[in-house]
């Protein structure tokens, strides 16, 4: 079953077209990376898919529901881990989890928090104020919070931006552990991250979805030596 489908999805700002009539299909349980240089339209696309902004035209279907008609219902089973770490700095990790469980009115909140603490190995930082944590821990907590409502669909916007190599690799393990259990839409500027984690990759340029495939398919299609070269070739239309 399709988790997400768009038809002729378009977003215009006055005389500028940010997203130009894209058709996209993402399967349930798939980890789909959406890549593009700055200004390619990927952030605008993610905002439309997650219900943060409305499209100018076109259709979005999430788990069989129409985004225009069923926005509130759809938002019950999706969540976003934004690029800016979404945790309250003066609350402890446990207090952050408890607060968000309250916001979502989670019935079995103690069980859910315990499950996330175990999944993300948060025991050692549970009583620490979030502002005292390293960037890697803050990102872990932010992703844990985005799972508090047990979403079917999770958007990860630049989840490892600014992290050191070790923290990034640790977060990759966490994301890999979610594969198949959630439908994940990942945006990243790290080509190695997209290649390592994704089932399929979509590349945007100038508001268009110019190609979709596995990393290996895109490498083969462009006769590139590696995925980074394939991305550059597709994103620039073969002009370097």
């Amino acid at each position: 079953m399709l988790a997400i489908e768009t038809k002729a999805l378009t977003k215009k700002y006055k005389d500028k077209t940010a997203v130009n009539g894209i058709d996209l299909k993402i399967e349930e349980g798939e980890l789909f990376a959406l890549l593009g240089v700055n200004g390619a339209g990927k952030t605008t696309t993610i905002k439309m898919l997650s219900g943060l902004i409305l499209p100018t035209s076109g259709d979005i279907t999430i788990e069989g529901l129409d985004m225009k008609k069923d926005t509130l219902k759809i938002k019950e089973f999706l969540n976003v881990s934004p690029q800016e770490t979404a945790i309250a700095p003066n609350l402890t990790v446990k207090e952050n989890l408890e607060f968000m469980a309250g916001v979502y009115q989670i019935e079995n909140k103690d069980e859910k928090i315990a499950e996330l603490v175990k999944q993300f190995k948060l025991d050692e930082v549970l009583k620490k104020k979030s502002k005292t944590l390293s960037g890697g821990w803050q990102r872990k907590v932010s992703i844990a919070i985005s799972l508090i409502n047990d979403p079917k669909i999770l958007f990860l916007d630049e989840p490892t931006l600014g992290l050191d190599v070790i923290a990034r690799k640790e977060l990759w393990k966490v994301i890999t552990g979610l594969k198949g259990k959630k439908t994940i839409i990942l945006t990243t500027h790290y080509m190695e991250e997209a290649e390592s984690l994704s089932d399929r990759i979509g590349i945007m340029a100038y508001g268009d979805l110019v190609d979709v495939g596995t990393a290996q398919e895109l490498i083969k299609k462009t006769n590139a030596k590696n995925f980074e070269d394939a991305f550059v070739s597709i994103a620039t239309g073969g002009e370097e």
Side-chain angles (χ1 to χ4, degrees):
M1 180 178 171
L2 289 176
I4 297 174
E5 182 176 13
T6 73
K7 293 179 180 177
L9 185 63
T10 301
K11 184 65 178 180
K12 294 183 179 180
Y13 296 100
K14 295 183 179 179
D15 58 345
K16 182 189 176 186
T17 301
V19 176
N20 187 28
I22 67 172
D23 296 326
L24 175 64
K25 293 181 179 180
I26 299 174
E27 298 284 341
E28 272 194 342
E30 184 174 21
L31 196 156
F32 187 91
L34 191 62
L35 307 184
V37 297
N38 291 334
K42 64 184 186 300
T43 300
T44 303
T45 300
I46 293 297
K47 285 181 177 179
M48 288 191 285
L49 294 180
S50 58
L52 292 176
I53 60 173
L54 293 171
T56 304
S57 60
D59 298 306
I60 303 171
T61 305
I62 308 281
E63 295 283 337
L65 297 173
D66 187 330
M67 180 63 89
K68 291 174 186 171
K69 299 174 184 175
D70 304 300
T71 306
L72 292 177
K73 193 169 183 180
I74 289 169
K75 284 186 176 182
E76 289 177 6
F77 58 77
L78 63 75
N79 213 329
V80 180
S81 180
Q83 192 177 127
E84 308 79 19
T85 306
I87 52 178
N90 288 316
L91 297 182
T92 66
V93 171
K94 186 178 182 183
E95 287 167 345
N96 266 285
L97 290 165
E98 288 173 340
F99 174 72
M100 291 310 297
V103 169
Y104 282 100
Q105 299 180 322
I106 307 298
E107 291 181 9
N108 56 337
K109 74 171 189 176
D110 290 339
E111 289 176 33
K112 186 62 187 175
I113 289 170
E115 177 189 318
L116 291 170
V117 168
K118 183 178 179 181
Q119 184 178 359
F120 287 83
K121 300 177 181 175
L122 300 176
D123 296 87
E124 64 182 274
V125 297
L126 208 53
K127 295 180 181 179
K128 292 184 178 180
K129 284 196 174 184
S130 300
K131 65 183 178 183
T132 67
L133 303 179
S134 67
W137 275 115
Q138 288 189 14
R139 294 303 301 174
K140 269 191 182 183
V141 174
S142 186
I143 294 173
I145 285 172
S146 70
L147 291 168
I148 199 79
N149 64 327
D150 198 21
K152 291 182 181 179
I153 298 173
L154 179 64
F155 293 89
L156 296 177
D157 187 10
E158 301 281 355
T160 64
L161 185 68
L163 299 186
D164 62 50
V165 173
I166 294 172
R168 187 179 302 151
K169 294 282 187 181
E170 286 179 353
L171 210 49
W172 284 10
K173 289 180 186 176
V174 170
I175 295 168
T176 300
L178 296 171
K179 286 184 70 171
K181 300 172 186 174
K182 311 284 180 191
T183 302
I184 301 172
I185 297 86
L186 169 77
T187 63
T188 180
H189 278 100
Y190 299 116
M191 297 299 108
E192 183 190 358
E193 184 162 285
E195 185 176 7
S196 298
L197 297 177
S198 305
D199 296 309
R200 286 190 307 144
I201 297 164
I203 298 175
M204 293 191 71
Y206 307 107
D208 292 314
L209 184 64
V210 289
D211 218 330
V212 177
T214 66
Q216 288 306 311
E217 286 170 348
L218 297 174
I219 291 169
K220 187 175 180 181
K221 185 181 286 190
T222 55
N223 293 313
K225 294 179 182 177
N226 52 54
F227 178 66
E228 185 171 323
D229 287 349
F231 168 78
V232 170
S233 177
I234 293 166
T236 61
E239 300 174 10
E240 293 189 38

